[in-house]
Amino acid sequence: MSRIAEVFRKLRQNGEKALVGFVTAGDPSVPESIEIIKEMCRSGLDVLELGVPFSDPTADGPVIQRSSGRAIQAGVTMSSVLGMVEKIREFSTVPIVLFSYYNPILAYGAAEFYRDSVRVGADGVLVVDLPPEESDELTDEWGSDLDFIRLVAPTTPVQRMAKIASRATGFIYLVSMTGVTGSGGLDVSAIERVAADLKASCNGLPVCIGFGISTPEQAARLCPIADGVVIGSAFERIMETCPGSGAAAQVAELVSSMKKAMAGAAIG
Amino acid sequence: MKLAESITAGAKSALAKNLLPDETGHFGVYGGRYVAETLMPAIIELDEAYRSICLKANFQAELARLLKDYAGRPTPLFRAARLTKSLGGATIYLKREDLAHTGAHKINNTLGQALLARWMGKSKVIAETGAGQHGVATATAAALFGMECKVFMGREDIARQAPNVQRMKLLGAEVVQVDSGTGTLKDAMNEALRYWVGAVRDTFYIIGSVAGPHPYPAMVRDFQRVIGDEAREQILEAEGSFPGMLIACVGGGSNAMGLFYPFLDLPVEMVGVEAAGHGIKTGKHAVTLGAGSVGVLHGSKSYVLQDECGQIKEAHSVSAGLDYPGVGPEHAWLKDTGRVRYESIKDDQALSAFQMLCSLEGIIPALESSHAVAQAIIEAVRRPPTDIIIVNLSGRGDKDLGIVSEFLPNGN
């Protein structure tokens, strides 16, 4: 059983939901980024999404665009992201999903990316601009040591959901709204309907909901319809407004309060 | 009429031989649909609509009428006698897309896509623009059809193409300034894609080049092929034979695909001209096919300017419409197969060609098109007068007078 599957199995057993945290790798620097991740893990983070910075992140809002820009400025490359995974493995067994646009993976090499990701201890990959129609060229020669997290959107028709789910492993990432990351205007009742359709067609694969979720209250409201909640821009916003050593503590605090709110919701 | 019929038949057989892209939008390994899932259903819907609606006789008749009565087609094929004589080489013809309504070939595509949007029941359109020609052409089509229009344009391009910004506003479009990156065409397209992710349910994205996810590269090419279809007929009428060579500038590559496509089955040499900016060695250029490598940008796989880690590099050209680090996937395919030769022209060469066309032919070309003219000058002198070269004069240069006067302060 993959590390991701194992985490969701345990959470389910305990009636809990997963807190999935997105962090742009190496923002503002590799050591600071690792420090922040360490604090997040200590505070109860269930799954880490480690964002590979890209120059043209067309699915991301301004907050993650800027964090991606800072990481590139700091010289972060795919090799340094993989190096970070290796470092994180020294202190944590948290499942790590590499979250990337396709071009940095293409430049690194499909086979090389798989080999090195597995070697450093990554557990999954999510390629935001690689729909199932195009993903064979990446995964054709891959083994099964890396889960392939796939996206479902509110615009995805039900038939297509089943098709996507049949090719997904680890969990399915349900995009909560038609918009880029960090957008406002989360409509919980609209996403409830989409989540219900997805649940009916995904063969028990865990479903995590993300995009535009920033408060513990929002996270708690989504718990009844999901196996996990993804938070990204809310963390990046803290790093942006609170540079230096204070960021790690504040991010950790947000992780704790999210987990707490979600635990209450899952029980209730 | 017999001639026209035989040409239509020729174009049809050309199409049969060049059945690309395939069903899934690939030209060999290039093209495809590399977009976030939120957009996939819209792109699939567009592909289906494009295949079904655009083949309908009603649609084609309506578009043909608009191209003729509104856009002013066919555009002339003009024999540039004084330019030809001054070079002493091959005979140069100019396909006068600068005379189309709004001053560039872009209107062919925006009328097609806006009409398709209307048939699909969408009342809002968005577009990205670099030089502003596609933005103006989109704003124009939107005004004509009574649609709401937003145009995304980089900060830098807004500054250097001010007349087009004003035109778009007069036409009722909202111009959205894009500050990210270098504030040029690439960033405008990023922002248009981001906006579209949020508005995809009721908004039609009119992409201006043969770039983006499938079906855009094929659809834009098919709306632009009218350039080549006309040129094929016109050159036969004028000279009784096909040209030896076609030349067009390539940023994303829509005017080049439009001219080249109907000639692909003929023994005609084709040259695509990229913008070399300050020179390839300086790193300040837009020579995507000539100096880039294979990557994925803005929804399709093609050549891109990128570093070894896959981060997209900034392009540079004096011409805003060529200042783009990507290129349409069909051009990547035509380069690899060797069917089209791709060359590059530097800023100063383009400016010289610009001046030459002004003074010898009384035509002020767009800086984009001036790159094609500069290449034609190089090619013509190596060939005898019996050789015919058709240059796609893709747009007029009024929008560029500010930039040109910076470089040529005495106006000569």
Side-chain angles (χ1 to χ4, degrees), chain B residues 156 159-160 318 351 400-411:
Chain B
E156 168 75 18
R160 61 177 161 171
V318 67
L351 285 158
D400 294 317
L401 296 185
I403 300 167
V404 170
S405 61
E406 258 177 57
F407 285 87
L408 312 166
N410 303 323

Side-chain angles (χ1 to χ4, degrees), chain A residues 53-61 65 72 76-78 102-108 128-134 137 151-157 160 164 175 177-180 211, chain B residues 24 26 29 31-41 44 180 186-187 189-191 193-195 197-201 294-298 301 304 306-313:
Chain A
F54 181 50
S55 53
D56 295 79
T58 51
D60 284 301
Q65 284 174 47
I72 291 170
V76 173
T77 63
M78 184 65 84
Y102 186 35
N103 205 48
I105 298 178
L106 195 60
Y108 194 84
V128 65
D129 55 352
L130 194 68
E133 284 82 352
E134 306 290 348
E137 65 176 50
L151 293 159
V152 165
T155 50
T156 308
R160 184 173 166 82
I164 292 171
V175 176
M177 58 167 71
T178 52
V180 292
F211 275 42
Chain B
T24 54
H26 293 89
V29 300
R33 288 170 285 198
Y34 297 87
V35 296
E37 175 59 22
T38 310
L39 295 180
M40 274 307 281
I44 292 168
S180 60
K186 171 186 81 125
D187 311 296
M189 193 148 177
N190 284 342
E191 213 49 46
L193 282 166
R194 287 183 190 118
Y195 179 85
V197 170
V200 65
R201 291 184 204 269
V294 176
V296 167
L297 176 67
H298 294 151
K301 186 186 279 181
V304 294
Q306 58 183 334
D307 68 14
E308 66 284 357
C309 297
Q311 307 296 351
I312 307 304
K313 282 196 209 166

Side-chain angles (χ1 to χ4, degrees), chain B residues 22-269:
Chain B
D22 63 17
E23 283 271 304
T24 54
H26 293 89
F27 304 88
V29 300
Y30 302 111
R33 288 170 285 198
Y34 297 87
V35 296
E37 175 59 22
T38 310
L39 295 180
M40 274 307 281
I43 283 168
I44 292 168
E45 181 201 1
L46 176 61
D47 188 26
E48 284 163 3
Y50 174 60
R51 282 168 201 246
S52 58
I53 294 171
C54 293
L55 290 176
K56 288 188 202 298
N58 287 354
F59 181 92
Q60 289 188 344
E62 201 175 351
L63 183 57
R65 184 185 62 77
L66 285 169
L67 288 174
K68 177 171 169 286
D69 299 341
Y70 185 72
R73 304 206 71 90
T75 59
L77 184 71
F78 174 68
R79 186 162 166 271
R82 291 193 72 215
L83 178 65
T84 299
K85 197 178 167 203
S86 79
L87 298 171
T91 302
I92 297 175
Y93 277 85
L94 304 172
K95 179 60 175 162
R96 298 292 307 275
E97 291 301 297
D98 60 315
L99 292 178
H101 182 41
T102 71
H105 71 292
K106 295 292 186 187
I107 193 77
N108 305 330
N109 172 47
T110 60
L111 286 175
Q113 287 197 50
L115 190 60
L116 181 59
R118 194 168 72 177
W119 277 62
M120 290 172 75
K122 311 240 175 186
S123 61
K124 295 179 184 173
V125 296
I126 58 166
E128 82 295 335
T129 198
Q133 289 302 117
H134 174 58
V136 167
T138 304
T140 299
L144 179 67
F145 293 142
M147 291 169 162
E148 202 179 309
C149 176
K150 269 188 177 48
V151 179
F152 295 84
M153 189 170 187
R155 178 191 4 89
E156 168 75 18
D157 289 339
I158 285 179
R160 61 177 161 171
Q161 307 275 240
N164 275 344
V165 176
Q166 206 175 355
R167 291 166 81 196
M168 285 184 268
K169 288 180 178 166
L170 281 171
L171 292 161
E174 181 192 344
V175 179
V176 182
Q177 175 169 321
V178 177
D179 291 317
S180 60
T182 48
T184 58
L185 179 54
K186 171 186 81 125
D187 311 296
M189 193 148 177
N190 284 342
E191 213 49 46
L193 282 166
R194 287 183 190 118
Y195 179 85
W196 199 33
V197 170
V200 65
R201 291 184 204 269
D202 65 353
T203 301
F204 189 107
Y205 182 10
I206 300 185
I207 291 183
S209 195
V210 286
H214 177 67
Y216 285 100
M219 179 170 69
V220 176
R221 173 199 71 196
D222 291 349
F223 285 139
Q224 290 293 2
R225 66 169 292 169
V226 64
I227 302 170
D229 285 332
E230 285 176 9
R232 216 175 129 138
E233 194 165 348
Q234 288 165 325
I235 198 68
L236 277 182
E237 266 170 25
E239 295 278 346
S241 65
F242 287 120
M245 179 178 280
L246 307 175
I247 301 177
C249 65
V250 177
S254 71
N255 88 81
M257 274 322 303
L259 177 64
F260 295 169
Y261 190 66
F263 287 92
L264 282 175
D265 66 329
L266 296 170
V268 174
E269 203 180 335

Side-chain angles (χ1 to χ4, degrees), chain A residues 56-106:
Chain A
D56 295 79
T58 51
D60 284 301
V63 174
I64 292 179
Q65 284 174 47
R66 287 194 295 266
S67 84
S68 202
R70 285 193 298 271
I72 291 170
Q73 277 296 309
V76 173
T77 63
M78 184 65 84
S79 301
S80 33
V81 176
L82 295 171
M84 280 181 66
V85 175
E86 214 164 5
K87 281 261 192 285
I88 295 165
R89 280 287 164 260
E90 289 171 9
F91 59 79
S92 175
T93 57
V94 68
I96 300 174
V97 175
L98 296 167
F99 186 106
S100 185
Y101 287 83
Y102 186 35
N103 205 48
I105 298 178
L106 195 60

